[in-house]
């Protein structure tokens, strides 16, 4: 049957990356993999993984995947849902009592907030869909965001010495930015999910993920820190600051905080991984929960996760506050349980299939899974912030333009 992709047209993606991003110095390195109908159509590893030491990129390079951690942790939670350990509409305070009396900010700034009691408790669905009223400090949109920054609530996980239990205790003392279910707002919600997994499973988050996802799927390089024997494969991370200068090194492969074991196990952004490992996860997502005969979720559960769970059925753009951030386009895109969901490609002005699930990470990494086309795509690089360039959308145009039968 074959993968049904024009390799000649698909090669445009590699030349596009090389000419527009690597040759110009916008990116140090990149790795693009496209898989359709179980066959790898392109697996292009380009550039440098360490610009300062002129170290060539390699196929088994390890990347900070940041928010691409979220779909993995959401799948882990739904594995516990399949055991009947909680209900999606259940308030989380039954398992995390610190959230028993959530309050919403009405006025004031930290530490003198004027608040009122939330209309209801935060539910599991609220967390999985970013409709909980929690936020991120880097959004700079609310006074509550400032409190997050001051208390380092969403600091880089590997550089945070609080346990998940200590962290959720601290987080629960701050007010929400809106009543649960009222709107969509990108947030630390998946980090709270990580703590819920610990409580429900009676296992540390890293042990649960290793036992139930990473080891069964053969994801040998996906961790919350870098094992000593793997340091030589870790890519450096850069930050865009000005169009007039090259991106600045912000986390060296040799001196990264990800070397230090003991940081907070961030379910929202703490994992490192490889293209090969994330390939295994995507195969399971595309395969109804199965990769090479190993099942991690039932097909019905994954199908349910891939539905749009935004209250009222709207897209992110219509459900979010004016000042917001997301790792995907807002128009025509809804949100399922841990993934974005394509609802209307016309509204989104992007080639894709209805029902496509996707997400990305802070360092410009991205993936999408398209069941209709029997395809998934993984893109890895290390440039902060992810909104610097339109590279994700541009790659979509090239890849979908290469599809045949």
């Amino acid at each position: 049957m074959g993968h049904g992709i024009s390799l000649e047209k698909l090669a445009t993606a590699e030349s596009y990356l090389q000419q527009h991003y690597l040759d110009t110095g916008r990116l140090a390195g990149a790795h693009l993999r496209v898989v359709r109908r179980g066959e790898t159509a392109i697996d292009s590893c380009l550039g440098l993984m360490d610009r300062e030491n002129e170290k060539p990129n390699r196929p088994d390079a390890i990347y900070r995947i940041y928010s691409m951690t979220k779909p993995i942790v959401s799948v882990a939670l739904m594995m516990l849902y399949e055991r009947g350990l909680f209900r999606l509409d259940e308030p989380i305070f039954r398992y995390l009592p610190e959230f028993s009396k959530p309050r919403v900010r009405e006025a004031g700034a930290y530490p003198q907030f004027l608040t009122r009691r939330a209309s209801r408790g935060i539910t599991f669905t609220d967390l999985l869909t970013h409709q909980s009223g929690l936020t991120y400090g880097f959004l700079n949109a609310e006074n509550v965001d400032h409190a997050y920054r001051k208390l380092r609530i969403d600091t880089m996980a590997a550089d945070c010495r609080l346990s998940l239990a200590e962290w959720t205790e601290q987080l629960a003392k701050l007010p929400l930015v809106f009543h649960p279910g009222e709107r969509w707002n990108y947030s630390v919600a998946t980090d709270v999910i990580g703590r819920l997994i610990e409580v429900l499973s009676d296992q540390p988050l890293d042990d649960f993920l290793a036992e139930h996802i990473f080891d069964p799927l053969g994801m040998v390089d996906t961790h919350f820190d870098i094992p000593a024997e793997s340091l030589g494969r870790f890519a450096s991370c850069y930050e865009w600051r000005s169009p007039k200068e090259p991106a600045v090194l912000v986390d060296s492969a040799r001196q990264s905080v990800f070397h230090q074991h003991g940081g907070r196990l961030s379910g929202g952004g703490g994992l490192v991984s490889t293209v090969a490992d994330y390939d295994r996860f995507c195969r399971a997502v595309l395969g109804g929960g199965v990769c090479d005969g190993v099942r991690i979720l039932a097909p019905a559960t994954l199908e349910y996760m891939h539905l749009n769970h935004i209250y009222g059925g709207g897209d992110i753009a219509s459900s979010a506050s004016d000042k917001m951030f997301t790792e995907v386009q807002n128009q025509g895109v809804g949100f399922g349980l841990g993934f974005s969901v394509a609802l209307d490609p016309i509204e989104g002005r992007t080639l894709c299939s209805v029902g496509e699930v996707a997400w990305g990470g802070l360092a410009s990494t991205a993936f999408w899974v398209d069941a209709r086309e029997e395809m998934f795509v993984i893109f890895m690089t290390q440039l902060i912030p992810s909104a610097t360039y339109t590279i994700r959308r541009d790659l979509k145009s090239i890849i979908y333009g290469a599809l045949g039968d």
Side-chain angles (χ1 to χ4, degrees), residues 135-137 144-145 147-156 160 162 166-172 174 188 191 264:
T135 189
Y136 264 128
V144 178
D145 300 353
Y148 275 46
R149 295 193 300 277
K150 188 173 183 65
L151 297 174
R152 303 185 76 227
I153 289 294
D154 56 348
T155 189
M156 183 182 292
C160 177
L162 294 178
E166 293 168 334
W167 178 83
T168 53
E169 288 278 356
Q170 187 179 76
L171 173 66
L174 294 175
V188 297
D191 291 80
R264 174 170 57 86

Side-chain angles (χ1 to χ4, degrees), residues 240-252:
W240 181 93
R241 294 181 181 173
S242 166
K244 298 180 180 179
E245 60 181 329
V248 176
L249 178 70
V250 290
D251 192 44
S252 166

